Amino acid sequence: MPTYLNSRLANIFVAGFLKSNAISQLGPSESLKELIDIFVDLETNGLNLKLKGKTVKVYFVLVSFLGDNLGINVLSGFAPSFSSMFFCRFCKTNKYNAQIQIIIDDTLIRTVENYNEDKHRDFKETGIEEPSDLNKLTCFHVVNNQVVDIMHDFFSHGICNYDLAIILEYMIVKLKISLKKINYCIQVFDFGPTENRNKFRKITRQHISKVAFKMTAREMMMFIHYFPLLFGTLFPLNDKVWDFACSLVELVDSILLPRYTTEILDALQEQIVYHHTLYLKLFKTKLKPKYHIPLHYVQSIKHVGHIRYIWCFRFEAFHQIFKQYCRNITSRVNICLTLCIKAGLVFANNLKDNNFIPPIIKYTKGKLLLPNLEIFQYLKTFINFLL
């Protein structure tokens, strides 16, 4: 479907709700058993659909499993914590090497073959907590699910937060720029009519020290985009930290591109290496687990396409609706069943009103509207007067 239809919340359908403690007790495969059985049936038996008076059997294939890193790791049977020794679902790099790694070792990439060997070994040696039943599908394997989520990797408690905290700390401590002046630059900046609603609260020292900025992912994305215009005049010439801040802005702009070529992918890989190298060199600190995931971005783009179309922004917006339902529901006997009933009613209403695909806009021949000559003459006289 076109991307403008994919982004409609009405086109996100609920398969079910799971409690996190149920996944912890039963395991991901047992928790998803009924859903996986449906996937297997759709892949092997298909559905008979009537199209233009003819009955056609259509088979469905699971292509990708979307979500944030933690959600995909848990439901795919990989390490449920990013402090685990082998936390990455793309490769078998251990957490100590990941703290200084800027280039992926191709010999450590996870494959179906080494996955089948590792699933029988100890979790601490492989990062596979439980073999996933999703692998029952003929055309899908959790190792080949090369999906990333740039929303959580960069904008929501991700790389942008870590980088921003360390840059602002440098501005305050080294460049002697007061926090009051930083906030003043933000307040007086004109973000334009479309972005003014995404303005955020004042930045405090506590936000910087705890790397917990009171910004939504959309606000963080906007803040990084306008960072050079906000603070460019406050940095001295040839400042290395300024180069690091610009490398972050360029990296974010590159991953948000709607189209990629081979040359752009090569440049993206170099930008990631350059950004990580500056981080290690300038701040003498180790890379966080979030910094490791972008090393696989080029690989992911080659497998699944443009990663800006598979992020979690719209899923999070859909999630907010059901969080509001939870606040309004007083019963906690079976909250998942209550939410499923609500989702079913919403789906039925959308089906009745045909809200899934909006009507096609038909364009007709336009009419030429001539300006009022008296008003035109008045404006012309007024402009001449000003000149």
Side-chain angles (χ1 to χ4, degrees), residues 213-228:
F213 297 96
K214 297 296 182 180
M215 302 183 194
T216 64
R218 181 66 184 88
E219 290 168 348
M220 177 59 73
M221 185 169 68
M222 181 192 71
F223 187 79
I224 295 301
H225 180 74
Y226 286 106
F227 188 90

Side-chain angles (χ1 to χ4, degrees), residues 346-360:
V346 172
F347 177 81
N349 182 70
N350 288 332
L351 197 63
K352 178 178 68 72
D353 296 338
N354 194 23
N355 291 330
F356 302 119
I357 300 178
I360 299 174

Side-chain angles (χ1 to χ4, degrees), residues 232 280 296 351:
L280 292 170
H296 296 282
L351 197 63

